[in-house]
Amino acid sequence: MLAVKSKQAPLIDLLLEVDGIDLNIQTTRGFSALMIAAWKGDNDTIDKLVAKGAKLELKDGGKRNAWGIAHDWHHESTLECLGRHGMTYTSHGKYVS
């Protein structure tokens, strides 16, 4: 998660090759690596994480998924990126995948 937070692409690539790495582990506040990439607006990392099996449906402590986090930070291109992976926002105000 620290590699994702600091946008260390070479380190992220190296870690994604580690057998058995848990891409869906969450912090005590519920953040996953995918959510951190959405927060940072790092579309390349989002694509890599999803391709390696990161779960889109995970929610943080505030009940937001990665789409909701990108929305809160006004990352329009990240919303489009997540949309290509099937994540959407419903008219009921709930973040869903």
Side-chain angles (χ1 to χ4, degrees):
M1 287 191 212
L2 290 175
V4 174
K5 183 178 178 183
S6 58
K7 293 185 165 183
Q8 296 295 314
L11 182 55
I12 293 166
D13 291 342
L14 182 64
L15 290 169
L16 288 174
E17 296 304 318
V18 174
D19 285 335
I21 192 167
D22 186 356
L23 298 177
N24 300 305
I25 194 166
Q26 292 178 272
T27 67
T28 56
R29 292 190 177 189
F31 291 100
S32 67
L34 182 65
M35 293 174 194
I36 293 170
W39 167 47
K40 291 296 189 172
D42 190 348
N43 301 340
D44 290 336
T45 298
I46 289 170
D47 289 336
K48 291 174 187 177
L49 288 167
V50 172
K52 287 287 189 172
K55 293 181 181 177
L56 299 171
E57 67 272 9
L58 294 178
K59 308 263 173 122
D60 69 4
K63 305 295 183 209
R64 302 174 301 173
N65 62 17
W67 198 99
I69 292 167
H71 178 267
D72 287 351
W73 286 90
H74 308 284
H75 293 304
E76 296 297 325
S77 67
T78 302
L79 294 174
E80 293 171 8
C81 174
L82 291 166
R84 289 190 296 273
H85 294 292
M87 298 189 87
T88 60
Y89 179 80
T90 69
S91 60
H92 302 293
K94 296 179 183 174
Y95 303 110
V96 298
S97 60

